[in-house]
Amino acid sequence: MSASDITLAAAVAAMIAGAAGTALTRDVTRLVVSLGAFLLSVAAIFLIVASSLLAIAQVFVYVGGVLVLVLFALMVVHRDTDERVGLDSLHDIGAAAVAVAVFAGLVALLLPLAGTTGSQTRALPNDIGAFLLGDGVVAFEIAGVLLLVALLAVLVVVKGGEDR
Amino acid sequence: MNTAVLVTFGLSIVGAIAIALAGARAVRFSRWIALAAPAAAAWSGLSYLLGAGPGGTGGAPYIGEAVVVSVRWLSRADAGIGVGLAVDSLAAAMLIVVGVVAAMVVLFSFGYMAEDRAQARYFSLLSLFTGAMAALVTSSSLVGLFIAWEIVGACSYLLIGFWYTRKSAANAAMKAFLVTRLGDVGLLAGLAVLYHETHTLDLASVMAAVPDLAGPTVALVALLLFAGAAGKSAQFPLHVWLPDAMEGPTPVSALIHAATMVAAGVFLVARTWPIFEAAEGTRLLILAIGVITAAGASVSALLQTDIKKVLAYSTISQLGFMFAALGAGAWVAAVFHLVTHAAFKSLLFLAAGSVIHGSGTQDLREMGGLRRAMPVTSATWIVGAAALAGLPPLSGFFSKDAILEAVWHATPLAGAALFAAGAVTTCYITRATRLAFCGTFRGSARPHESGATMWLPLVVLALGAASLGAASGEFARAFGGHGGLSLPVAAASIALAVAGGLVGWRLGETGARRAQSGVAAFVAGGWGVDAAVVRLAGASVVASAALSERVDAGIIDGAVRAVERLAQGISGELEGLQSGDGRAYSGLVAIGAVLVVGLTLWLGR
Amino acid sequence: MIVVIGCAAAFAIGLYAVLTRRELIAILAGAEVMLGAANVQLVALALARGGDPAVASGFSLLVVVVAAAEAAVGLSIVVTAYRSGARSRLEEFGEVDAE
C-alpha cells in the first residue's frame, strides 16, 4: 500500500464520517461542521485522483459558497430562539432499509465497472479549460445560462416572499 | 423597368409601415408617402409599354414577358412552387390603371378624409393595397397571384370596415369578406387541381401544359377559377357584397370596389385565358352569368336612391359586361373595357364623393341643383356619365361596343340582352344625373364646391375617361384582335343609349317622389339573393344544429361521461398517494431508485 | 475501488438524511451530500475506466456549478417559506397545495 493509497483511504474515511455527521447529528453547529468536513474531503479526493483545479473549485464553490449559505439560512430560520437549537430526525427502519438497499445496489452496479487499471494521469487546468471551451462549450454555455436563471429565480422567490 | 416594379413593392410596404408608425399627428406629411407607390406602379407599367413599343408584344398573354425576379419556394426534389414577378402587356396595362387610379384616389382623399382622426390607418392601408394589387397583376405564378389576391381582399375588408364603430360598416366588411371567401375556396381548389395535373403553378408552364390536359379537367379548372373570379368581381349570385361595401369611405369605393380589385376577377380570367379558351362549356356559363348580372344589376341601379348604391350596381353591371365578353371569347375587349371602366367609374365615384362632401348627404332625393354650386364636379360627373352610357367619342363607347359586337356575334340572344342592359345603363345614369345636378336643391345643407386636391383628380380622370377610347387601336395591336368598330352595332347602341337617356330623364323627374312598390323593392334589393341566402343559411343552420345537438348529447357527452367515470375510479384509488407529505414522496423516489437499480442488475446479468 | 465503495456509502447516508430529517435545511444538506458523492463517483469511475481526465474533470466542474445553483434556489425557497409563516419543517408543508 503506497502513501497515496493511504491518503486516499483517509480522505474517503473522512468523507463518510462527514456524511454520517450531517445525517445524524442533533446540533446545528455540528451539522455545519460535518457538512464542511464532507465537502473538504471530497475536495481532497478530487485533489488526489483527478485535478487540483477541480479540488480548488470544490473548495471555493461549496465550502466558500454553499456552506456559508447554509449557515446564513440556519441563522435566519433560528434567529428568534435563544436556546441551542436541536435538529431532530424521524429515524425509522424503513428509511434505513431503503438507504442500505441503495448502497448495495450501487456497489453491485458500479464495482464491476471500476476495474483495476486506473489511469494515473491527472488533468491539467489547461486541458480542462480546452475541453470546456472546445467540445464541451455547449454544456458550458448551458450551465452559464442555468446559473443566470437560478440567480433570477432566487431574486423572484425572495422578493415574492417579501410581498406576501 | 425591373427596378421600377421592385421599387413599387418596396415603397408600398415601407410606405404602409412608415405611415402607420408616424401616427395621426404626422399624417399631414406622411400621407404624401402614400402617393409614392402608385406613382412607381404607373411608371413601371408605362416604361414597359414604351419600351415594348406598339405592336411589340402581340398575341396571347404571357408572350414576351419580362421576368423581374423569380425564386423557388417550398422547393422539393421532384416538385416545387416558384413565385416571382413578371411584366407583360396585360400586367403593364393593369399597373398603369392601378397606379393612376390609386394616385388620384390618394390625392382626393387628402381633402375627403381631412377631418378623419384615423387617417394614418387609412393611408397606410391604401399604400398596402396598391402594392398588393401590383403584386397581383405582375405575379408570374398562380401562388403569388393567390397570395396577393388574399391580401387585396384583406385590405378591402379593412377599408370597408374603416368606420368600424358603425355596426352597418362592420357587418358589410364581414359580409364582403365571407362572400368573396366563398369564391376563393373555388379558386384555391382550382389551383390544387391544376397543381395535381401539371405539377407546377408557374403561369407560363401551366399555360404551356394546358393543351395536354383532358377536356373535363380543363372545364373543371376553368369553372373553379371562374368561381374565384365571380366572387371577387361580384357576379351573380355572389354580387351581394358589393352594394353593402359602399359603407366604406367613398374614395375606397372608387379605388377598390370600382376600378381595381373588383376587376381582378376579369384580370384573372384574362391572365389564364388559354384555360378558358379550351373550356367552351364553361365559357358559355360565364357568358350567361355575365349577361344576367349585367342586365339584372342595371335594373337594380335604376331604383336606388343612394347615389353610391347606384354606382355600386352600375359597377356590378359593367363587370357583367366584361364577363359576357370573356364568355364570348373576346378577352381583349373585356380587358379594354376594364381599363376604360376603371377610368370613368373611379371618376364617377370620386365625383359622388365630392357631391357627398359638398352637400352633406348621399340620398339622391335630397340633392338637386348641384350644377350651380359645384360646377367642376358636375362637369366631370357628366363626362363620366356619358362615358358610362357609351356616347361617342368617349372611352366607354369604344370598349362597350367592342363587347356588344363580340357577344352579338357569339349569341344573338345574349347580345340582345346586353343591348337592353346598355339602354338601361344610360337610363339609370341619366336619372341619377338629373336628380343630383338639375332642378333645385332639396336638402338642408349649403352645398359648396370641393377643394383643389379633390377636383384636380376629377379633372385628370375625366381627361382619361374622355380620351382613352383613342387608345383602342393601340390596345388591339398590343394584344391582338382588331380595333375597328362595326357600324351597325355602334349605331344601334347609340340609338338605344339616347332612348334610354330620354326615359331616364323622365324618371329623374318623377322618381324623386314615387314610393317603391313591392316588386320594385325586390329588384332594388338585388333580386332577393340576400333573402334567399339568409333563408337557406338559416334552414341549414337549424338542421345542422339539431343534428349536432343529437350527436353531442348521445355520442360526445356519453364518451365524456365514460371517461369521467373512469378517471374518477382511477383517481379514487390513487388519491391516497397524494398525501402532501414530502417525506413519503422522497421515500417513494428512493424506493423507485432501488427498483430500477435492482432491475438493471437482474437484466444485466 | 475504495473510492467507489466509499462514495456509494456516502450517497446512501445522504439519502438517509433526506428521508429522515425534519428540518428543511438539514434535508438540503443531505441532498448536498448525495450530490457530492455522486460527483466524486463520476470522476473516479471515469478515470478508473481510462477516460480522458480533462473531460471527467470538466464535467464534474459543471456538476459543481449546477449543484451550487440548486443549493442557492433551495435555500432561498426555505428562507422565503420561513418568512411567510415561520415554517421550517417538511411536514408543515403538506397543506401548501390546499391554500
Side-chain angles (χ1 to χ4, degrees):
Chain A
M1 226 181 189
S2 69
S4 77
D5 283 347
I6 295 173
T7 336
L8 188 60
V12 170
M15 177 176 79
I16 295 176
T22 309
L24 301 173
T25 183
R26 300 178 59 83
D27 184 273
V28 171
T29 321
R30 284 195 191 140
L31 175 104
V32 174
V33 170
S34 304
L35 187 59
F38 169 81
L39 297 172
L40 281 173
S41 5
V42 166
I45 298 174
F46 280 151
L47 184 63
I48 295 165
V49 302
S51 125
S52 52
L53 177 70
L54 193 51
I56 290 171
Q58 170 81 11
V59 172
F60 278 3
V61 173
Y62 268 106
V63 185
V66 173
L67 199 59
V68 172
L69 267 181
V70 171
L71 210 53
F72 275 174
L74 276 171
M75 282 158 63
V76 168
V77 171
H78 292 293
R79 68 184 158 191
D80 42 359
T81 44
D82 286 342
E83 76 269 23
R84 255 177 112 71
V85 202
L87 295 169
D88 45 354
S89 301
L90 296 169
H91 295 292
D92 76 7
I93 191 73
V98 168
V100 169
V102 166
F103 170 70
L106 281 180
V107 170
L109 256 183
L110 299 179
L111 210 51
L113 296 178
T116 46
T117 59
S119 72
Q120 290 306 307
T121 53
R122 302 188 11 179
L124 298 172
N126 277 354
D127 301 337
I128 300 178
F131 163 72
L132 283 180
L133 291 178
D135 291 344
V137 69
V138 175
F140 183 66
E141 292 295 338
I142 292 176
V145 173
L146 184 76
L147 271 181
L148 180 64
V149 172
L151 192 68
L152 293 177
V154 169
L155 284 177
V156 169
V157 166
V158 173
K159 201 79 186 151
E162 273 174 2
D163 290 349
R164 228 175 292 154
Chain B
M1 195 279 300
N2 288 6
T3 11
V5 174
L6 293 176
V7 163
T8 305
F9 297 113
L11 281 178
S12 145
I13 294 164
V14 172
I17 296 172
I19 297 170
L21 287 183
R25 210 160 298 172
V27 82
R28 267 156 30 88
F29 309 103
S30 63
R31 62 188 187 182
W32 290 94
I33 303 173
L35 271 177
W43 170 247
S44 51
L46 205 60
S47 64
Y48 175 84
L49 285 188
L50 292 180
T57 62
Y62 255 74
I63 291 182
E65 88 266 32
V67 175
V68 175
V69 58
S70 175
V71 292
R72 302 289 296 165
W73 186 46
L74 299 180
S75 194
R76 274 190 7 213
D78 54 337
I81 292 173
V83 291
L85 304 174
V87 180
D88 62 354
S89 307
L90 180 59
M94 291 295 291
L95 274 176
I96 296 177
V97 167
V98 172
V100 172
V101 175
M104 291 306 119
V105 163
V106 169
L107 202 58
F108 185 86
S109 304
F110 285 2
Y112 190 80
M113 301 297 283
E115 306 298 320
D116 203 283
R117 296 157 64 115
Q119 279 182 75
R121 183 157 53 94
Y122 178 82
F123 286 108
S124 171
L125 283 172
L126 277 191
S127 186
L128 180 64
F129 172 82
T130 310
M133 198 64 210
L136 199 164
V137 298
T138 56
S139 180
S140 68
S141 84
L142 284 165
V143 178
L145 190 150
F146 184 74
I147 294 172
W149 182 274
E150 293 297 336
I151 298 177
V152 165
C155 287
S156 158
Y157 166 77
L158 291 169
L159 284 168
I160 294 172
F162 181 72
W163 289 309
Y164 55 86
T165 47
R166 283 211 314 241
K167 191 158 170 42
S168 57
N171 286 346
M174 187 60 72
K175 183 172 173 185
F177 199 70
L178 291 179
V179 173
T180 51
R181 200 57 63 259
L182 207 62
D184 291 352
V185 172
L187 177 56
L188 193 58
L191 296 194
V193 174
L194 261 185
Y195 186 76
H196 182 257
E197 295 295 326
T198 63
H199 302 292
T200 176
L201 285 175
D202 289 338
L203 271 164
S205 340
V206 168
M207 295 315 141
V210 165
D212 304 331
L213 295 179
T217 314
V218 175
L220 176 67
V221 169
L223 195 63
L224 290 169
L225 292 184
F226 173 64
K232 212 47 142 198
S233 290
Q235 293 302 289
F236 181 86
L238 296 180
H239 66 275
V240 290
W241 64 271
L242 191 54
D244 288 18
M246 297 300 126
E247 289 288 345
T250 308
V252 167
S253 307
L255 175 61
I256 301 184
H257 306 118
T260 53
M261 186 193 81
V262 291
V266 179
F267 169 80
L268 174 69
V269 176
R271 175 55 96 207
T272 55
W273 183 247
I275 297 175
F276 287 90
E277 193 166 33
E280 194 148 353
T282 310
R283 265 195 288 139
L284 205 59
L285 177 75
I286 297 177
L287 178 62
I289 287 193
V291 170
I292 290 172
T293 311
S298 64
V299 175
S300 288
L302 197 51
L303 299 166
Q304 302 301 320
T305 54
D306 182 329
I307 187 166
K308 287 184 74 181
K309 287 274 170 71
V310 172
L311 294 178
Y313 277 107
S314 163
T315 302
I316 298 175
S317 162
Q318 294 296 308
L319 290 166
F321 273 85
M322 296 177 210
F323 273 98
L326 292 171
W331 69 272
V332 179
V335 172
F336 185 46
H337 194 55
L338 190 168
V339 173
T340 59
H341 173 256
F344 65 69
K345 189 50 69 62
S346 58
L347 166 62
L348 285 172
F349 262 112
L350 290 186
S354 176
V355 164
I356 295 167
H357 194 72
S359 70
T361 176
Q362 50 190 74
D363 193 330
L364 282 169
R365 289 167 297 189
E366 295 176 13
M367 296 178 187
L370 297 177
R371 185 178 70 236
R372 283 176 294 280
M374 313 176 76
V376 180
T377 305
S378 55
T380 50
W381 167 280
I382 286 167
V383 172
L388 172 65
L391 295 181
L394 302 173
S395 58
F397 169 72
F398 293 93
S399 55
K400 197 165 80 176
D401 281 11
I403 290 178
L404 287 174
E405 187 191 344
V407 175
W408 179 262
H409 282 302
T411 328
L413 180 65
L418 270 196
F419 270 112
V424 180
T425 302
T426 323
C427 186
Y428 67 69
I429 200 66
T430 313
R431 165 180 174 265
T433 307
R434 182 168 188 195
L435 281 173
F437 295 102
C438 302
T440 53
F441 189 63
R442 297 180 288 275
S444 48
R446 289 181 65 82
H448 58 88
E449 180 61 281
S450 309
T453 56
M454 289 171 76
W455 61 254
L456 198 66
L458 293 180
V459 173
V460 172
L461 287 172
L463 290 178
S467 60
L468 267 176
S472 91
E474 296 292 314
F475 218 83
R477 262 202 299 286
F479 292 100
H482 65 94
L485 285 168
S486 132
L487 201 58
V489 170
S493 92
I494 293 172
L496 280 170
V498 171
L502 289 177
V503 175
W505 186 258
R506 293 290 308 279
L507 282 177
E509 184 184 30
T510 57
R513 268 156 274 126
R514 192 177 52 190
Q516 288 191 348
S517 67
V519 176
F522 174 75
V523 172
W527 301 88
V529 171
D530 263 334
V533 167
V534 168
R535 219 170 0 229
L536 194 68
S540 58
V541 164
V542 167
S544 62
L547 180 69
S548 65
E549 198 271 338
R550 224 165 301 145
V551 171
D552 183 51
I555 299 172
I556 297 179
D557 281 10
V560 169
R561 275 194 214 101
V563 170
E564 175 216 311
R565 266 195 296 276
L566 186 71
Q568 246 175 4
I570 294 175
S571 64
E573 298 298 318
L574 291 181
E575 90 188 325
L577 284 178
Q578 184 149 9
S579 56
D581 179 4
R583 191 160 291 110
Y585 293 167
S586 50
L588 283 173
V589 171
I591 292 170
V594 171
L595 289 180
V596 169
V597 169
L599 204 65
T600 316
L601 282 171
W602 183 49
L603 292 177
R605 232 179 357 193
Chain C
M1 179 114 68
I2 184 168
V3 179
V4 171
I5 298 174
C7 284
F11 186 86
I13 295 170
L15 175 63
Y16 183 75
V18 169
L19 290 180
T20 58
R21 284 295 196 184
R22 302 179 68 182
E23 199 83 15
L24 273 178
I25 295 173
I27 291 176
L28 274 180
E32 290 300 332
V33 168
M34 290 169 75
L35 261 171
N39 206 10
V40 176
Q41 192 79 286
L42 171 75
V43 176
L45 276 174
L47 294 178
R49 293 182 67 72
D52 184 349
V55 174
S57 304
F59 263 109
S60 73
L61 204 58
L62 294 179
V63 172
V64 168
V65 167
V66 173
E70 168 264 325
V73 175
L75 286 171
S76 73
I77 292 174
V78 170
V79 171
T80 309
Y82 176 74
R83 278 210 208 126
S84 70
R87 293 180 295 188
S88 64
R89 298 191 158 197
L90 179 60
E91 56 264 31
E92 292 165 342
F93 284 85
E95 309 303 318
V96 164
D97 49 0
E99 276 176 8

